[in-house]
Amino acid sequence: MSASDTIETAAEETGAAEDAAADSGSGPQLSDRDKAAATLASLLPTGAAEAAAAEDASKADEPKLDAQGRAYATGKRKDAVARVWIKPGAGRVMVNGRDAETYFARATLRMVMSQPFEAADRRDQFDVMATVSGGGLSGQAGAVRHGISKALVGFEPGLRPVLKKGGFLTRDSRVVERKKYGKAKARRSFQFSKR
């Protein structure tokens, strides 16, 4: 007896039992999805469904690292895109081959970039290497922040709730509004001339 014959037989038995329950008026009414799930569960060996669910959960808790032991993520903000790699270290941050203190000269930008480490209580525990392009310095700092947050989750999945609560994993969708015809900019009108 093949697997398809087994499935057909189980489906016929399930259908017959449901018809009998429907005729008697007692017994719960199941949706098509519930019926399919019940049929599949009856065909799987005992405990196989639980083992598959546990295996999926354990895969979600494993860090995603490359051959060098780094976690990678892409961060975005406005028009800037940052590729970010993090690995355990002394807290050195390199952006486009330059030190972050040099690249992001304003203290505000460096503060924005380090926010995920502060929220996760992981300051000076990871070395960061980022390449960022597009946009201005503010957008690039936001893109690096987004990339660091996603890379931290890749390295340590247990940090996801903390970073999610702080809003660091959400891509900030605010971008520059497009210019409209008949307007000087997106909304600004041309100077009014009475005559």
Side-chain angles (χ1 to χ4, degrees):
M1 187 142 104
S2 69
S4 61
D5 295 337
T6 306
I7 292 172
E8 290 173 9
T9 307
E12 289 171 6
E13 291 172 1
T14 306
E18 289 168 0
D19 292 342
D23 291 342
S24 65
S26 63
Q29 299 296 322
L30 299 174
S31 68
D32 291 339
R33 180 180 283 167
D34 293 337
K35 291 175 189 174
T39 303
L40 284 174
S42 68
L43 294 175
L44 286 173
T46 308
E50 291 84 10
E55 185 178 322
D56 289 343
S58 68
K59 282 183 183 176
D61 291 343
E62 289 179 12
K64 295 180 179 77
L65 306 177
D66 63 7
Q68 285 90 23
R70 306 175 301 181
Y72 168 79
T74 305
K76 296 181 180 182
R77 170 86 169 91
K78 295 187 180 179
D79 270 346
V81 178
R83 298 182 302 158
V84 179
W85 291 266
I86 66 167
K87 64 179 179 180
R92 284 192 51 201
V93 180
M94 299 292 288
V95 180
N96 288 349
R98 291 162 40 192
D99 191 51
E101 304 286 326
T102 309
Y103 194 85
F104 295 121
R106 280 185 278 162
T108 310
L109 299 178
R110 291 194 302 274
M111 182 265 301
V112 164
M113 191 185 64
S114 64
Q115 283 175 337
F117 291 122
E118 300 289 343
D121 198 26
R122 297 290 186 272
R123 186 140 180 87
D124 297 331
Q125 294 182 20
F126 290 97
D127 286 342
V128 178
M129 205 278 283
T131 57
V132 61
S133 62
L137 287 176
S138 176
Q140 289 185 352
V144 171
R145 177 181 99 154
H146 187 222
I148 288 172
S149 304
K150 288 169 63 177
L152 275 171
V153 170
F155 197 91
E156 231 179 296
L159 295 176
R160 183 175 176 80
V162 175
L163 294 171
K164 186 74 174 169
K165 187 173 184 233
F168 298 114
L169 298 176
T170 306
R171 198 262 200 232
D172 192 345
S173 61
R174 297 175 297 169
V175 293
V176 176
E177 190 175 343
R178 78 181 269 299
K179 183 196 179 304
K180 279 78 169 185
Y181 52 84
K183 295 278 187 180
K185 298 192 330 186
R187 299 190 182 199
R188 188 194 185 330
S189 299
F190 295 114
Q191 182 173 345
F192 175 72
S193 171
K194 194 165 187 179
R195 288 181 187 85

